[in-house]
Amino acid sequence: MSAPAVVEIDDLTVAYRQHPVLWDIDLTVRAGALTAVVGPNGAGKTTLVKSIIGLVPVAAGRVRVLGRRYREVRREVAYVPQRGSVDWDFPTSVIDVVLMGSYGALGWIRRPGARERAAAVEALEKVGLEAFRDRQISQLSGGQQQRVFLARALIQNAQLYLMDEPFQGVDARTERAIVDVLKEIRTQGRTVVAVHHALQSVPEYFDDVVLLNVRKVASGGVEDVFTEENLRATYGGRVPFLQAVAGQGEP
């Protein structure tokens, strides 16, 4: 029996100033899988993730998360934006940033208590940053900042994690820490959708892949759709190592 769909997208079109960024997308994301969204610059990868949680206006189509509209299940979804989209000079500590992940469950009136603080410390331990809990976020490296965002998402205890370039600009240690956390999320039956750009690591890190270039080229299990033919259709044959990446030998 196939896994149920966590995200269902039907006939989705998104346009900026009448210029299509996503065109007529049909997509399902199965539960309990690590799914990569890959494609060239300008392919609409970030827009696809943002459209799932209503951060961009949709020209046409329908998006369902856990079988419902996003606003009805928003507490079940955690979003990790690109690190470059955040003002890291804002004067706050690591532990306070992570605790922000508890606000959805608490509301804006209740303050995080001992239980939430313990969950935040546990999340920081998982990403290897417990010793930095009282550090100002502006004092962290790029990789450390990315791990803080991941810890913030973890304490949301969500069913679906949406991540926009979680490995961008991080060192090897941080990348391995993130991969380990994603695989732990998967063992808990939860789902991850991540915008990803390093094609070489797709077969190692992910179960499923969405190949996107304004239109959906292909989606499904990595073994089935991460092929030379589909990659060349996605990238227009402009990437010289596609054949080797797809496991077809040297180009």
Side-chain angles (χ1 to χ4, degrees), residues 8-14 22-27 58-63:
E8 299 172 280
I9 297 174
D10 299 310
D11 301 324
L12 177 68
T13 295
V14 178
L22 293 173
W23 184 260
D24 199 22
I25 303 292
D26 291 318
L27 178 67
V58 172
R62 187 187 75 160
V63 178

Side-chain angles (χ1 to χ4, degrees), residues 10-117:
D10 299 310
D11 301 324
L12 177 68
T13 295
V14 178
Y16 295 147
R17 298 178 181 176
Q18 298 183 333
H19 175 72
V21 180
L22 293 173
W23 184 260
D24 199 22
I25 303 292
D26 291 318
L27 178 67
T28 59
V29 176
R30 66 186 177 101
L34 305 181
T35 298
V37 180
V38 302
N41 292 337
K45 303 184 295 296
T46 293
T47 300
L48 178 66
V49 169
K50 288 183 175 181
S51 70
I52 293 173
I53 54 176
L55 291 181
V56 295
V58 172
R62 187 187 75 160
V63 178
R64 288 290 182 267
V65 180
L66 299 170
R68 304 171 73 179
R69 290 176 292 184
Y70 166 71
R71 65 175 176 265
E72 298 173 347
V73 295
R74 59 190 310 162
R75 292 183 181 180
E76 300 298 328
V77 181
Y79 172 54
V80 180
Q82 289 186 18
R83 187 175 60 85
S85 66
V86 177
D87 179 10
W88 292 102
D89 291 327
F90 187 78
T92 189
S93 68
V94 167
I95 190 73
D96 286 339
V97 172
V98 177
L99 282 169
M100 290 176 187
S102 66
Y103 291 173
L106 292 174
W108 291 101
I109 298 176
R110 291 178 56 196
R111 300 288 296 172
R115 183 173 63 179
E116 289 77 25
R117 187 165 291 271

Side-chain angles (χ1 to χ4, degrees), residues 127-186:
V127 300
L129 287 180
E130 194 277 333
F132 295 81
R133 56 188 290 181
D134 297 319
R135 190 80 59 89
Q136 291 288 306
I137 56 171
S138 61
Q139 298 173 351
L140 302 183
S141 68
Q144 289 167 338
Q145 291 171 345
Q146 191 73 348
R147 281 188 273 168
V148 170
F149 257 23
L150 181 57
R152 187 185 71 169
L154 286 177
I155 72 166
Q156 291 181 241
N157 201 28
Q159 291 299 314
L160 172 64
Y161 291 83
L162 300 172
M163 303 184 180
D164 194 352
E165 297 276 13
F167 303 108
Q168 185 178 41
V170 304
D171 56 25
R173 178 184 177 188
T174 293
E175 184 160 328
R176 177 48 55 188
I178 293 173
V179 170
D180 289 344
V181 170
L182 297 189
K183 290 183 177 179
E184 181 180 346
I185 290 172
R186 180 179 59 190

